[in-house]
Amino acid sequence: MTKRVLTGINTTGTLHIGNYVGAIRPAIQDSRNPDVESYFFLADLHALIKCQDPDRIERSRMQIAATWLAAGLDPERVVFYRQSDIPEIPTLAWMLACSTAKGQMNRAHAYKAAVDVAEAAGKDPDADVSMGLFCYPILMAADILIFNADEVPVGHDQLQHLEMARDVATRFNYTYAKPNEPFFTLPQATGGSAIEVLPGLDGRKMSKSYNNVIPLFEGGRKALDEAISRIVTDSKLPGEPKDPDSTSLTVIYDAFATTEESAAFRKSLCEGLGWGEAKKQLADKIDAEIGPMRERYEALMAHPEELEAILQAGAAKARKHTSAFLARLQHAVGLRSFAPLVQPKKAEKKAQKVVAVFKQYREKDNRFYFKLAFEGRELFVSQGFDSGRDAGQWVGRLKKDSSTLTDAPITFADGVTKEDVIAALNTFKED
Ligand code: TRP
């Protein structure tokens, strides 16, 4: 059975090769597994929580969309979309919020961290907490639950959010679903193939906040060389034997090389390869892999309309699922169309009702007549009128009020009673 794997991508900040090695590359590899139905999306509604600079929001999500595509994400094979293009997600988030206890959200790490920081600074505990931040886990639950994802590859810091998504789903199922027909699958957190941590220039985890990153595409080869030149090593001279484990250079090399290439690189260092030369080899190695991607990246960034078309197509694919599913959920909570309650009844009545038929016509004597038929029987014929209008007026009167029958200039057919005619005329009554 194919499983559904959903990957959420933050759209803040620019990416470095630690992101590429630890998250992007393995996720793209996993997406090629034929047993997996992959959903990838840009969490741009979440991005609004951290950033209120519209230009940065715009630029970041474009860069990040282009990065994933350039790195090989195939939008034909996976569903790749922006969260903000799927209106069913925030609608579901609201529905989930309404059946989730606030106390449960009070326990969220990100919220508590913001409170701790404010308190430490002597401020009101909620001083730096927007409702967006507070509701972050619910929006994230909606991201996942609207697709009924089986697995969500996430890092350690997101495990609690996955747990919350499961709780929120369970609560909603319990409130609205029949016992054995839950609406939501409970999603599993997985590590994907590797959420490994790449060391940065100084050996600590590569992270923007440590200012120790090697940029992925931004700045081109020049920026790559420049960052690599800053990798911390000892000051051994070319020709002196070096300890390959004394620097993050070799670990970064490993991430782009085969086992044999890594072994050869280490051996050269032990045999005296200069740091400068080693750095050049590392830069070449990385560039061999990401150079062609960088070209695709730059081409995409130069054609935002192509990116837009790809993401619109992705949103259309995603919404095929989400709009049908949200309709079911709305029905479940009672947000239902009024129409089905009224229309079938009306239709039923119409179908049952057989109406009598007036016919107006002209005879050879050039005069105007009308007659009434009901259930295949002719009930009466009128006298002749000089004008069609007069005949028509009688028809109108009779349809409206069967008591006018008494004065009507008509002749009943054989065997027809007044009651038969009144019953026929009553079929014109509106109900
Ligand atoms: N919170 C995730 C992160 O910081 C991003 C994200 C938003 C996400 N919605 C998601 C991840 C849904 C997985 C599924 O990395």
Side-chain angles (χ1 to χ4, degrees):
M1 213 182 77
T2 61
K3 60 182 177 189
R4 200 173 267 190
V5 178
L6 177 122
T7 304
I9 303 167
N10 280 322
T11 62
T12 41
T14 41
L15 297 169
H16 51 71
I17 66 161
N19 302 127
Y20 172 74
V21 168
I24 302 174
R25 192 173 62 184
I28 291 175
Q29 259 155 20
D30 289 349
S31 79
R32 299 191 175 127
N33 177 344
D35 297 330
V36 168
E37 209 185 306
S38 296
Y39 288 75
F40 284 83
F41 75 97
L42 303 167
D44 55 358
L45 293 174
H46 276 113
L48 298 179
I49 296 167
K50 280 193 214 138
C51 173
Q52 266 113 45
D53 173 348
D55 294 335
R56 265 187 60 200
I57 289 282
E58 180 190 31
R59 184 150 183 83
S60 259
R61 72 214 264 272
M62 238 174 85
Q63 285 174 334
I64 284 166
T67 299
W68 280 78
L69 292 168
L73 189 68
D74 178 359
E76 298 291 325
R77 133 166 239 132
V78 309
V79 186
F80 183 43
Y81 56 95
R82 285 174 294 215
Q83 184 186 32
S84 61
D85 284 333
I86 316 293
E88 290 79 14
I89 293 175
T91 305
L92 175 59
W94 179 258
M95 286 159 60
L96 297 173
C98 293
S99 58
T100 301
K102 173 175 178 287
Q104 201 186 337
M105 294 298 113
N106 287 344
R107 292 192 285 276
H109 298 323
Y111 165 69
K112 286 204 322 200
V115 168
D116 288 348
V117 171
E119 277 177 337
K123 295 196 271 186
D124 181 274
D126 281 337
D128 300 321
V129 181
S130 67
M131 284 308 294
L133 176 67
F134 188 69
C135 297
Y136 187 115
I138 296 192
L139 181 57
M140 182 159 160
D143 292 333
I144 299 168
L145 301 179
I146 193 86
F147 290 103
N148 267 334
D150 299 301
E151 289 183 6
V152 183
V154 287
H156 235 72
D157 59 328
Q158 297 297 312
L159 289 179
Q160 190 197 31
H161 287 151
L162 257 289
E163 233 169 79
M164 289 180 151
R166 296 162 60 84
D167 289 346
V168 165
T170 305
R171 176 89 223 157
F172 188 95
N173 283 338
Y174 177 78
T175 311
Y176 293 111
K178 295 197 194 115
N180 291 318
E181 295 168 39
F183 289 110
F184 298 127
T185 307
L186 301 188
Q188 295 291 337
T190 62
S193 347
I195 307 262
E196 58 183 66
V197 177
L198 197 68
L201 305 179
D202 55 0
R204 289 185 293 173
K205 174 189 170 185
M206 189 178 289
S207 160
K208 253 203 342 252
S209 46
Y210 295 149
N211 190 26
N212 65 354
V213 308
I214 301 175
L216 182 54
F217 299 142
E218 292 299 307
R221 170 77 196 237
K222 192 159 164 275
L224 181 67
D225 290 341
E226 195 276 325
I228 288 172
S229 75
R230 286 166 47 223
I231 294 179
V232 176
T233 62
D234 59 29
S235 47
K236 293 218 165 88
L237 297 172
E240 284 186 77
K242 306 188 175 55
D243 175 6
D245 296 318
S246 64
T247 167
S248 60
L249 198 151
T250 42
V251 186
I252 299 172
Y253 190 91
D254 292 345
F256 290 88
T258 62
T259 326
E260 295 76 46
E261 288 169 335
S262 287
F265 187 62
R266 282 160 185 268
K267 189 159 168 275
S268 314
L269 283 168
C270 294
E271 291 170 358
L273 178 70
W275 289 125
E277 178 54 26
K279 287 179 174 178
K280 177 158 183 336
Q281 286 184 18
L282 172 62
D284 286 343
K285 192 88 217 138
I286 296 179
D287 206 51
E289 184 166 329
I290 69 167
M293 297 176 182
R294 190 192 300 120
E295 275 174 35
R296 285 202 293 277
Y297 173 79
E298 276 156 11
L300 283 165
M301 288 302 283
H303 289 281
E305 75 287 355
E306 274 176 35
L307 277 175
E308 182 66 31
I310 290 170
L311 289 164
Q312 291 288 350
K317 265 202 255 177
R319 291 196 70 198
K320 271 201 192 127
H321 169 82
T322 56
S323 58
F325 191 34
L326 185 74
R328 271 184 65 208
L329 298 171
Q330 285 182 316
H331 190 269
V333 302
L335 302 175
R336 299 171 188 159
S337 165
F338 293 159
L341 297 179
V342 181
Q343 272 170 0
K345 279 194 184 153
K346 225 178 166 183
E348 257 167 53
K349 272 197 186 144
K350 271 220 176 109
Q352 285 165 4
K353 188 163 161 180
V354 185
V355 184
V357 184
F358 268 109
K359 268 209 184 114
Q360 288 181 248
Y361 56 101
R362 218 163 164 183
E363 280 291 12
K364 289 192 198 84
D365 62 5
N366 252 347
R367 309 193 79 198
F368 296 86
Y369 294 81
F370 61 87
K371 59 187 181 183
L372 181 71
F374 184 47
E375 291 175 332
R377 183 154 79 125
E378 198 170 292
L379 300 185
F380 64 67
V381 183
S382 74
Q383 64 164 51
F385 293 89
D386 290 337
S387 87
R389 235 181 107 227
D390 292 342
Q393 271 172 2
W394 267 110
V395 169
R397 245 173 254 146
L398 286 164
K399 273 186 172 177
K400 223 164 131 195
D401 180 1
S402 56
S403 72
T404 57
L405 189 61
T406 333
D407 307 319
I410 55 174
T411 315
F412 285 8
D414 283 347
V416 170
T417 66
K418 194 176 165 193
E419 285 67 41
D420 293 337
V421 175
I422 287 175
L425 288 175
N426 282 343
T427 66
F428 294 111
K429 271 197 194 149
E430 303 271 339
D431 28 32

